[in-house]
Amino acid sequence: MSHELPDETPPLVHIRRWLRATLTKFPDDLLGDVLLVCTELVSNAYDHASGPRDVRVALTGGGRVVRVEVDDSSPHALPAPGRSTAGSFRGRGLVLVERMASRWGVLSRGDHKTVWAEFSLDGAAHPA
């Protein structure tokens, strides 16, 4: 499932409602992690990149893994945990993503990039 994001402001409340309605199989604690990480990835796409933007969610691994992807039109503005172009009091969001997601990454694709995160119902933790 996919949602194109508007240019003005991130529709974070709408995205969280959409994810809750889509991911009914996931336990509340894991769903909370997915909601927080998706909010962070979408916020980063607005704070550090240009549009158009898009968010997707997919179930893989026989429905046991949820993958959240956020596209933006700034393929060379690659995210780095712990660093921010928005000031010294920022830059901690991707550190949270690293800790909460089973795994995450970035795909640069010519005219856009995709930042993604995966969560497993099996509780596979992200390697430290």
Side-chain angles (χ1 to χ4, degrees):
M1 300 176 90
S2 176
H3 277 290
E4 187 174 330
L5 300 171
D7 284 336
E8 325 68 69
T9 57
L12 299 177
V13 171
H14 174 74
I15 291 168
R16 287 191 289 265
R17 285 183 188 144
W18 171 63
L19 286 171
R20 280 191 186 280
T22 303
L23 303 174
T24 57
K25 181 179 180 179
F26 282 73
D28 286 342
D29 58 338
L30 187 57
L31 180 59
D33 290 352
V34 172
L35 295 174
L36 181 61
V37 166
C38 187
T39 298
E40 178 61 29
L41 297 182
V42 169
S43 295
N44 282 352
Y46 279 83
D47 288 347
H48 305 290
S50 60
R53 299 171 191 90
D54 191 63
V55 62
R56 287 180 302 284
V57 63
L59 295 175
T60 62
R64 304 218 30 98
V65 175
V66 63
R67 181 178 174 110
V68 174
E69 299 180 340
V70 177
D71 291 344
D72 65 56
S73 297
S74 298
H76 303 296
L78 300 178
R83 288 188 285 156
S84 175
T85 59
S88 61
F89 292 104
R90 307 275 306 271
R92 295 173 188 87
L94 284 177
V95 173
L96 290 174
V97 171
E98 247 181 4
R99 296 289 182 206
M100 298 175 94
S102 300
R103 58 190 206 126
W104 77 282
V106 181
L107 301 170
S108 188
R109 301 178 173 189
D111 65 344
H112 73 281
K113 74 172 172 292
T114 301
V115 182
W116 58 270
E118 291 182 347
F119 301 83
S120 173
L121 271 172
D122 300 325
H126 179 72

